Amino acid sequence: MDLAARLLRAMTAPAPEDEEFRTWYPDLSVLSEQDLGTLMPAAYAVGREAPFVSMSVRFRIEDEAKSREPRYTPEACERMFQALVDGLAPRNWADLLLGVGALVRCTGPWPDVSGPARRLAEGLLSRKRHDRPFALLAVGGLAGDDVLRAVAGRLHQIWEGPIMRDELDAVVRLAPVERVLLAQVAEGRSVNAPPVPPEVWERVAAVPACAGFARRALESAAARARAVQEGEIPFRADRAFTGDEVAAVGIAARIALLRDEPWLPALCDRLLPDISVAPTQARTLPSQALLYEVVRAAQEFPTPELVTAIRTVRRNVRHAGVPKQLDKMLKKVEAALAERTEVALRLPDHGFGPGGVLRRELGGHTAVVTVAGKAELVFEKDGRALKGVPAAVRRDHKGEVKELRDLVARVNAQLVTLARALEAGFTVEAVHPFGRWRDTLLRHPVAGPTVRALLWEIEAAPGDRRTVLPETGDLPDCADEAPVRLWHPIGSRPDEVRAWRDLLVDRRIRQPFKQAFREIYLLTPAEEETATYSNRFAAHLVHYRRMFALFRARGWTSALLGPWDGGGSDEAARTLAAGEWRVRFSHVLADWQGEQEIAGTNRVMFDRRAGGGWREAALADVPPLVFSEAMRDVDLFVGVASIAADPMWEDGEAREYWLREWYADLGESTRTRRDALERVLPRTRIADRCAIDGRYLVVRGELRTYKIHIGSANIVMEPDDTFLCVVPERRRTGAKVFLPFEDERLALILSKAFLLTADDAIDDESILTQIKRGA
């Protein structure tokens, strides 16, 4: 008897030999999707009075189905509906979404389930509250028009407001198949249901009636929000919309975003500000719930215009906690945007000319907005740049100045979104037709400077791939359909990478994100030996809250650790390569004493998407680019959050780790930082007083000689390696040195180097005392 048959018997009529399932946990990944579809009706039918072994197997089957895509034969669909009917009386409830999901995933023609659908709908109609109204409408429609009308009448009594009534009317007019599909996406996930297949949303969005409802719902929401702002509707914090209305507008937003409706950007520009800022001076919002729901919709189907609107709201909202929550949610939006390549790189031109310049005459002065890496506003008089806003312009053109400043902020938000979408697209390996890339990105007045500062790989002819830096003006002649990809150093020889790095520094070209100087992480012999996990970043002690913030910043998900049940360990996770790969980074709570929250790092593991779920993969099977980008994130977490980078760390028990890291071999990110220093330092005025020696930047001051660790930026003083604690001001000279990419620690190292070369001019007594002690 195969495993699926044994599991089925254990749930329906367990034999004595099935008792071994009490302690035996077989690998359920060997079950096919159709096996799971066969087992799920039996699992649902297991009641509370069933033998322990039946309950145990039931829970395991349901857990496996949550991460997979069960496939149901028509017969299995019938059994699922019958199981729902049989469980209705003892449970006084039925998970209709399981029945709906079975039909959505049916492998053949839908069976006639009108009989059990009628019994389910009639049995649930008497309930005061319906947790799954769309599923109830779908099941009622399968039962017959009379049952559908009864369900709609009951919901009409419960649902209030024009948005809900319009939605109900639209659902009733749908075909039975369309109602089933809508129920699957509208109800989210049930406790035991697998994720909604992406193609279901696409089928729903393609229904004209759903598209029509989406526009009406969003326009109605925008009109109500405007009425709150104008005082026509009294303002009450977060009460502009009911919970049901928020859910309905969320569905409408997803449909419109997936369809990429041309009218949507302008509507969002009206709706989001009106639900995010009170018409009074209150810090509360007309509808915080709807704001977050729209952002959740953007996490599934993002557009660059909506990302810009969210960033604008984030800047203007008064509530102290909302910006932090939006920042966290935006990371997922940006990651999803990178995977939606057909819209990710779209930007409006805002009226800028071909050179990225916009001019406007204001009272004898010229306001000039330029885009070169970022947007900036300056004022000119007779062609000469002025400092600040002229008094006459400030007095007579307040509205125009505010409008220009808002434009600068909006353009900068769009440039941030563009850069993050491009960077997040590394693992997707997005391909752009040359003609479209040239016309809509390279020559775009706003996007152009960002795109030109990056390296691109153009396949001019089959097998003829050329790396170009558009800023130098060197582009090959090729067909409009020639593929263009963002260049990654992992595919190039070391001498090529060095040449590009030299060119960037020579031309003083600052890239919007680290590309030519990007770290590369290749599989090591130790990782080949461990096979399914990496210990490369294990056994580090880190400031936990700092690392947790980095998880959020880089789009990783992780539960918060703390002194509570289940709070001792977790695995942070991030999906890559358009959802085909997942990386996991395990960590544990090492110490929790007041504000000193210390975590210990552990293994890094990878999973591959298979059969609708995740399967652990061998490291050797992970695409090199995916592996490198994932490990780069983990290196960032450890490098930034490690207590070894904390010059104030004095805990005796962890001091051994602190010292171990001081003398440890350089990691990949530190080697890249050293490479940049080797190129940047010779161009500075302190070049003759600095030298790179292994893991240190050695700085010769007037009073002493210092060694700055290139990894942690911590300092020791020769000859006895006494530690020196220095926290320099960000505005010091080191911050003005040209850097080919943004790196806070590299800037900090240079800032300390500039400070220490002139140590005789330091006037900070706390630093001087340390230097002169033993000098």
Side-chain angles (χ1 to χ4, degrees), residues 83 222 281 328 389 475 723:
Q281 292 303 308
K328 182 172 68 174
V389 183
L475 290 180
F723 286 95

Side-chain angles (χ1 to χ4, degrees), residues 359-374:
R359 296 178 181 274
R360 187 171 298 176
E361 297 299 324
L362 296 177
H365 295 82
T366 304
V368 183
V369 182
T370 57
V371 179
K374 67 175 184 178

Side-chain angles (χ1 to χ4, degrees), residues 668-688:
E668 196 62 45
S669 60
T670 307
R671 283 196 292 268
T672 301
R673 193 174 297 125
R674 183 178 64 184
D675 189 292
L677 274 172
E678 289 172 343
R679 289 170 165 79
V680 170
L681 270 174
R683 294 169 167 79
T684 68
R685 59 181 172 80
I686 62 171
D688 61 336

